[in-house]
Amino acid sequence: MTKKITRKELATCPDCVCFNIRKASRVVTQVYEEAMSKTGLRGTQFSVLVVVALFGSITITRLAENLVMDRTTLSRNLKPLEKRQLLKVIAGADRRTRVVQLTDSGHNTLKAALPLWKKTQQKIARLMGSERLDNLLGELRAIEKITDQM
Amino acid sequence: MTKKITRKELATCPDCVCFNIRKASRVVTQVYEEAMSKTGLRGTQFSVLVVVALFGSITITRLAENLVMDRTTLSRNLKPLEKRQLLKVIAGADRRTRVVQLTDSGHNTLKAALPLWKKTQQKIARLMGSERLDNLLGELRAIEKITDQM
DNA sequence: AGTCATTATGTGTATTTACACCTATGTTGC
DNA sequence: GCAACATAGGTGTAAATACACATAATGACT
């Protein structure tokens, strides 16, 4: 064993950005998923459906870019949504590409999830204060931007 | 298909707290893991080792509480750390409980990871500004607290 | 001592995450 | 036309996440 780690060396670790953002991510995710449980949609799945709805038709790589998600991660996230037939992945113009589209069922499920999502979002805004929440969202985007430079 | 989802209904979705916090969580995690890659520690693993180091000896349930992590999630997160022999899980006083402790190797690995972690944390503080970062951490804790009331 | 609730933990299952690596297709420059 | 590069996507592997459910041990109450 090397020299013992002092308490002082560990003192600042609870302020770890990675730890705290992951921790907050876990609890927030649970709140949203609980709220949307009626639809069976997970938080990530809701986000995917929203972006697909916004684009109408979008390739996997573009969708991943818009979600700031690894392409292979997204590919796998599409699987349960395809299985539930909430969206379909069909051949694109280019023989390399595959495009994602909502099915009617996906459209209906998203439609049902939207008010549940909104209610949750608004409740958080009310409890935290709209300005503070806007500030938080801004800071989250700021830290995303900063990580580009690292 | 139910009535078409309007663009207006989707307009506020990109401000979803769940989406944005998960997104930020992904990019931040990648930065920390890249920085600590030499040690082979993932972000979560680093956090686990830190808390175990702080407690010296701690049961799985207490550890999960301190990490604000589902107990079963933590149980599974311990597996790769046990496999690498960075920590050991041994029988506790109570025959139900099992206590987690760092091994010498875990101690050394954590010792090696600490400066890498600190450098990353400080770089973010420098790029973002210490006050803004402190503010962000405070707001993350605030939103955690709020979700308790939901 | 025996019942019953509480506490501590593990397992099955499914999703989310991402790196390394691979194949197929399209594009560009000669 | 073809070689070299760029683009789009999939697979193997491993970790992180959490719910539902199961088991075992302890504590409390009669």
Side-chain angles (χ1 to χ4, degrees), chain A residues 25-26 28-51 67 69 76-81 84 86-87 109-110 113-114 116-117, chain B residues 16 18-19 22 26 70 73:
Chain A
S25 179
R26 286 193 292 271
V28 167
T29 298
Q30 285 177 54
V31 168
Y32 278 82
E33 294 189 348
E34 159 67 21
M36 298 193 298
S37 62
K38 209 175 59 182
T39 67
L41 287 182
R42 313 290 298 265
T44 298
Q45 297 178 337
F46 175 77
S47 301
V48 170
L49 293 189
V50 166
V51 177
L67 292 163
M69 187 179 286
R76 293 204 156 109
N77 287 349
L78 293 178
K79 288 285 154 57
L81 292 166
R84 271 186 71 190
L86 300 183
L87 50 77
T109 302
L110 178 56
L114 279 168
L116 305 175
W117 167 78
Chain B
C16 176
C18 183
F19 170 58
R22 290 180 70 90
R26 287 193 292 270
D70 186 270
T73 299

Side-chain angles (χ1 to χ4, degrees), chain B residues 33-45:
Chain B
E33 295 189 347
E34 160 67 22
M36 298 192 299
S37 61
K38 208 175 60 182
T39 67
L41 287 181
R42 312 290 296 267
T44 299
Q45 297 179 336

Side-chain angles (χ1 to χ4, degrees), chain A:
Chain A
M1 168 141 72
T2 59
K3 224 177 68 181
K4 200 161 179 296
I5 299 170
T6 63
R7 198 146 287 265
K8 197 184 159 197
E9 285 177 279
L10 297 173
T12 55
C13 291
D15 292 328
C16 176
V17 181
C18 185
F19 170 58
N20 283 283
I21 204 165
R22 290 181 70 89
K23 181 156 57 82
S25 179
R26 286 193 292 271
V27 299
V28 167
T29 298
Q30 285 177 54
V31 168
Y32 278 82
E33 294 189 348
E34 159 67 21
M36 298 193 298
S37 62
K38 209 175 59 182
T39 67
L41 287 182
R42 313 290 298 265
T44 298
Q45 297 178 337
F46 175 77
S47 301
V48 170
L49 293 189
V50 166
V51 177
V52 174
L54 280 168
F55 279 85
S57 210
I58 185 170
T59 66
I60 291 177
T61 299
R62 292 304 153 257
L63 184 53
E65 283 168 6
N66 276 278
L67 292 163
V68 191
M69 187 179 286
D70 186 89
R71 184 185 50 75
T72 67
T73 300
L74 173 63
S75 265
R76 293 204 156 109
N77 287 349
L78 293 178
K79 288 285 154 57
L81 292 166
E82 270 187 280
K83 202 167 174 185
R84 271 186 71 190
Q85 306 204 344
L86 300 183
L87 50 77
K88 55 188 175 216
V89 184
I90 60 180
D94 192 322
R95 253 197 301 175
R96 290 171 301 180
T97 61
R98 283 152 55 77
V99 297
V100 184
Q101 290 177 349
L102 289 190
T103 61
D104 284 358
S105 171
H107 179 277
N108 294 343
T109 302
L110 178 56
K111 182 99 181 173
L114 279 168
L116 305 175
W117 167 78
K118 194 160 205 169
K119 192 179 286 186
T120 307
Q121 183 85 356
Q122 287 176 337
K123 188 165 186 184
I124 291 178
R126 191 156 35 77
L127 287 171
M128 189 166 178
S130 294
E131 313 78 19
R132 279 185 76 187
L133 186 56
D134 287 347
N135 172 258
L136 172 58
L137 290 173
E139 297 300 62
L140 287 174
R141 286 187 185 112
I143 204 163
E144 266 183 64
K145 203 142 228 170
I146 278 160
T147 57
D148 285 348
Q149 312 161 31
M150 307 180 64

Side-chain angles (χ1 to χ4, degrees), chain B residues 22 26 30 61-62 71-72 75-76 96-98:
Chain B
R22 290 180 70 90
R26 287 193 292 270
Q30 285 176 55
T61 298
R62 293 303 153 257
R71 185 187 48 76
T72 67
S75 263
R76 291 198 159 112
R96 289 170 301 180
T97 62
R98 282 151 55 77

Side-chain angles (χ1 to χ4, degrees), chain B residues 72-142:
Chain B
T72 67
T73 299
L74 173 63
S75 263
R76 291 198 159 112
N77 287 350
L78 293 178
K79 287 285 153 57
L81 292 166
E82 271 187 280
K83 202 168 174 185
R84 271 185 71 190
Q85 306 204 344
L86 300 182
L87 49 77
K88 54 187 176 218
V89 184
I90 59 180
D94 191 322
R95 251 197 303 175
R96 289 170 301 180
T97 62
R98 282 151 55 77
V99 297
V100 184
Q101 291 176 349
L102 289 191
T103 61
D104 284 357
S105 171
H107 179 277
N108 294 343
T109 302
L110 178 56
K111 182 100 182 172
L114 278 168
L116 304 176
W117 167 77
K118 194 160 204 169
K119 193 179 284 184
T120 307
Q121 184 85 355
Q122 287 176 338
K123 188 165 186 183
I124 291 177
R126 191 156 35 76
L127 287 171
M128 190 167 177
S130 294
E131 312 79 17
R132 280 184 75 187
L133 186 55
D134 287 347
N135 172 258
L136 173 57
L137 291 173
E139 296 302 61
L140 288 175
R141 287 187 184 114

